[in-house]
């Protein structure tokens, strides 16, 4: 199917208007603002209740739109809408790697939002959302990859939480095999995001960077991925498939990994902070049995590293209700809303002051304990590769997926990737 019609199908299937909320004021004063809420974990409800509260407070109306789960599928949908200058969605939630891809279609928040409101957020996140001097979105939450583990099972087998990926590989095998002998034939050592999509780029960047193998493309635009450390990292991950990771992980995104871990069928899981609150929900089979920590190092000489993620609220330039839309984006990124998100769905705030908030730390202590993991997270090369980032990422995730699925060996796949990236970038000129 040609890409255009694929996106059109996606669009009609994905764009579900989930309801309109009437505010209190007269119809004449009201705008109807449509807002695209994500749908991973509990975020749709969080977004909907936030938007409804804003509608009630301001007397406007909202239309809540649900979009696909995978980041790159959302991007395809928004690119399609925005390139048509569609006013269909006013407020869009954008991924931290998209500002350079969508900037031309987004309202400059720097002109609309008071300086002191912007200054509440981490300067690095504001910087990441600034393209050619324009602030294209207001940060809502930040993310970094984390390691979740079963405290009870590590204790049962006398194993410590792993400090290196090599340790993890060994511990995962020992616990998995022990538990299988004890009768849980569904259990695996580790689950992660192995589908060929943006999430695999995040996972594989963590493996590579933790081994000291760089960030695919460096800050100056040079393609660096074809190096022995990167290859060793990807090979180690490929060795997990069918040994300590289910073959199905090759099609897992965030929610499939969480489903396996939360139902008690994995010893370790790589996932984002949102998985914490859900794993501790009253009906979670692993409630009280889970630990969370920084991802392991790639060997004793390596480093702990988590990929930087996160989402922000932007307003479409084609919105017919831009004023009200900016107001909604401000509301959704206010300290009160970020606090509610941190408590209810364990989203990491983008407002430093909230890392000292007693209610947040009491409910989800890891948010404070792992602060350095979040502030030291490794960025994907979206700034260096500019409008080509999505192409770079899809070349990378496909090359890694080929290795994980045994279709290609790591050396051949990474060398081909290097050639493709040099071709796309016209040798680093991007
Ligand atoms: C999370 C991250 C986002 C990333 C995505 C990949 O939502 O916050 O930055 O692109 O996962 O699946």
């Amino acid at each position: 199917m040609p890409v255009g019609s694929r996106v059109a199908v996606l669009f009609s299937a994905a764009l579900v208007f989930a309801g309109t909320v009437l505010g209190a004021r007269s119809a004449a004063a009201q705008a109807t603002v449509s807002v695209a809420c994500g749908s991973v974990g509990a975020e749709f409800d969080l977004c909907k209740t936030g938007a409804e509260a804003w509608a009630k407070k301001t007397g406007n109306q909202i239309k809540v739109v649900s979009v696909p789960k995978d980041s790159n599928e959302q991007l395809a949908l928004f690119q399609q809408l925005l390139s048509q200058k569609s006013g269909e969605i006013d407020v869009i939630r954008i991924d931290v790697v998209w500002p350079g891809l969508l900037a031309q279609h987004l309202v400059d928040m720097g002109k609309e939002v008071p300086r002191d409101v912007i200054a509440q957020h981490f300067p690095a996140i504001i910087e990441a959302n600034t393209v050619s001097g324009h602030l294209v979105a207001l940060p809502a939450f930040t993310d970094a990859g984390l390691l979740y583990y079963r405290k009870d099972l590590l204790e049962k087998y006398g194993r410590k939480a792993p400090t290196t990926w090599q340790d993890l590989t060994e511990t995962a095998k020992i616990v998995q095999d022990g538990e299988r002998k004890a009768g849980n034939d569904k259990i695996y050592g580790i689950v992660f995001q192995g589908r060929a999509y943006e999430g695999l780029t995040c996972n594989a960047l963590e493996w590579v960077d933790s081994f000291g193998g760089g960030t695919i493309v460096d800050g100056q635009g040079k393609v660096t991925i074809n190096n022995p450390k990167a290859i060793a990292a990807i090979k180690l991950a490929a060795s997990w498939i069918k040994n300590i990771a289910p073959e199905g992980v090759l099609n897992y995104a965030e929610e499939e990994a969480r489903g396996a871990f939360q139902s008690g069928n994995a010893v370790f899981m790589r996932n984002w902070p949102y998985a914490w609150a859900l794993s501790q929900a009253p009906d979670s089979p692993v409630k009280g049995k889970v630990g969370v920590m920084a991802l392991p190092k790639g060997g004793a000489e390596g480093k702990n590293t988590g990929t930087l993620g996160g989402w922000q609220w932007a307003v479409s330039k084609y919105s017919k209700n831009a004023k009200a839309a900016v107001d909604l984006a401000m509301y959704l990124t206010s300290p009160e809303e970020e606090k509610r998100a941190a408590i209810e769905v364990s989203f990491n705030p983008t407002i430093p002051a909230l890392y000292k908030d007693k209610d947040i730390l009491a409910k989800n202590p890891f948010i404070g304990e792992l602060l350095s993991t979040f502030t030291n997270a490794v960025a994907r090369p979206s700034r260096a590769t500019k409008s080509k980032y999505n192409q770079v990422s899809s070349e990378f995730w496909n090359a890694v997926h080929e290795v994980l699925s045994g279709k290609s060996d790591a050396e051949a796949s990474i060398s081909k990737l290097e050639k493709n990236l040099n071709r796309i970038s016209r040798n680093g000129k991007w």
Side-chain angles (χ1 to χ4, degrees):
M1 201 189 285
V3 174
S5 48
R6 195 186 66 79
V7 173
V9 170
L10 182 69
F11 175 73
S12 54
L15 212 58
V16 183
F17 285 96
T20 302
V21 171
L22 285 177
R25 293 195 202 150
S26 76
Q30 290 172 346
T32 299
V33 177
S34 57
V35 49
C37 294
S39 57
V40 173
E43 68 187 6
F44 184 81
D45 285 345
L46 179 91
C47 171
K48 185 165 177 278
T49 42
E52 284 172 356
W54 172 83
K56 196 158 176 231
K57 184 174 158 208
T58 60
N60 292 295
Q61 299 180 40
I62 52 148
K63 270 187 190 159
V64 178
V65 178
S66 146
V67 294
K69 282 194 170 54
D70 291 358
S71 167
N72 45 290
E73 292 204 358
Q74 290 184 43
L75 177 63
L77 170 62
F78 293 141
Q79 281 179 321
Q80 169 85 357
L81 282 173
L82 294 169
S83 66
Q84 291 167 348
K85 303 195 171 11
S86 157
E88 193 113 20
I89 303 185
D90 301 295
V91 184
I92 292 170
R93 206 188 57 157
I94 71 166
D95 197 340
V96 69
V97 284
W98 300 353
L101 303 174
L102 299 183
Q104 67 192 108
H105 303 291
L106 303 174
V107 166
D108 181 359
M109 294 291 197
K111 293 207 178 107
E112 309 295 328
V113 178
R115 261 165 203 260
D116 57 331
V117 171
I118 296 170
Q120 297 179 107
H121 299 272
F122 281 113
I125 305 181
I126 292 296
E127 174 62 25
N129 283 292
T130 304
V131 180
S132 310
H134 292 183
L135 178 63
V136 301
L138 296 175
F141 69 96
T142 184
D143 256 349
L146 300 173
L147 183 70
Y148 292 84
Y149 59 98
R150 286 285 300 278
K151 285 190 299 196
D152 58 325
L153 294 181
L154 294 200
E155 201 174 303
K156 180 169 167 191
Y157 291 87
R159 305 290 303 186
K160 292 207 180 75
T163 55
T164 64
W165 286 111
Q166 292 85 343
D167 271 358
L168 178 144
T169 306
E170 193 182 298
T171 298
K173 178 87 178 135
I174 290 169
V175 179
Q176 166 192 287
D177 291 355
E179 285 301 285
R180 285 196 187 163
K181 273 202 199 103
N184 183 358
D185 57 358
K186 288 204 195 101
I187 199 162
Y188 277 94
I190 183 166
V191 290
F192 57 94
Q193 293 75 48
R195 176 183 297 171
Y197 82 124
E198 185 63 26
L200 178 55
T201 290
C202 298
N203 282 242
L205 175 61
E206 283 157 356
W207 308 328
V208 168
D209 188 49
S210 76
F211 272 71
T215 56
I216 314 165
V217 174
D218 72 13
Q220 282 68 50
K222 186 171 183 293
V223 176
T224 57
I225 187 63
N226 194 6
N227 69 76
K229 289 177 176 164
I231 290 173
I234 295 167
K235 277 192 172 167
L236 180 63
S239 79
W240 299 337
I241 311 296
K242 291 196 253 181
N243 290 320
I244 56 167
E247 197 174 8
V249 83
L250 296 171
N251 199 26
Y252 279 11
E254 284 78 7
E255 285 292 84
E256 289 81 7
R258 185 175 69 81
F261 184 78
Q262 202 166 307
S263 56
N265 293 331
V267 185
F268 294 107
M269 168 176 70
R270 183 274 177 209
N271 217 324
W272 306 100
Y274 88 95
W276 175 260
L278 293 162
S279 77
Q280 299 308 306
D283 61 349
S284 164
V286 297
K287 180 173 177 358
K289 298 178 179 167
V290 178
V292 57
M293 61 189 278
L295 288 163
K297 299 178 183 181
E301 305 297 306
K303 58 176 168 181
N304 299 104
T305 187
T307 294
L308 178 70
W311 293 82
Q312 14 277 318
W313 288 108
V315 171
S316 160
K317 266 193 185 162
Y318 318 113
S319 166
K320 297 192 179 66
N321 305 298
K323 219 174 152 44
V326 169
D327 196 59
L328 174 55
M330 279 175 63
Y331 181 88
L332 293 175
T333 56
S334 63
E336 294 73 24
E337 273 298 287
E338 287 210 5
K339 176 168 176 175
R340 186 172 75 90
I343 291 176
E344 288 181 12
V345 303
S346 60
F347 275 176
N348 276 62
T350 62
I351 298 175
L354 292 176
Y355 285 79
K356 297 196 185 83
D357 185 283
K358 290 203 184 69
D359 303 329
I360 295 177
L361 299 180
K363 180 76 197 304
N364 292 317
F366 83 92
I367 290 183
E369 287 157 13
L370 296 179
L371 179 59
S372 66
T373 305
F374 299 109
T375 50
N376 293 324
V378 61
R380 285 161 274 174
S382 57
R383 281 179 95 75
T385 60
K386 300 177 188 153
S387 63
K388 303 275 173 47
Y389 173 72
N390 193 43
Q391 245 177 303
V392 169
S393 184
S394 73
E395 291 284 345
F396 180 59
W397 79 56
N398 282 322
V400 174
H401 198 267
E402 293 234 315
V403 181
L404 297 183
S405 54
K407 288 193 191 122
S408 173
D409 69 36
E411 284 83 358
S413 182
I414 297 305
S415 147
K416 190 170 125 207
L417 171 67
E418 179 187 40
K419 284 200 193 77
N420 288 344
L421 296 184
N422 279 327
R423 181 179 42 76
I424 295 170
S425 74
R426 292 171 291 121
N427 292 320
K429 293 193 199 72
W430 301 106

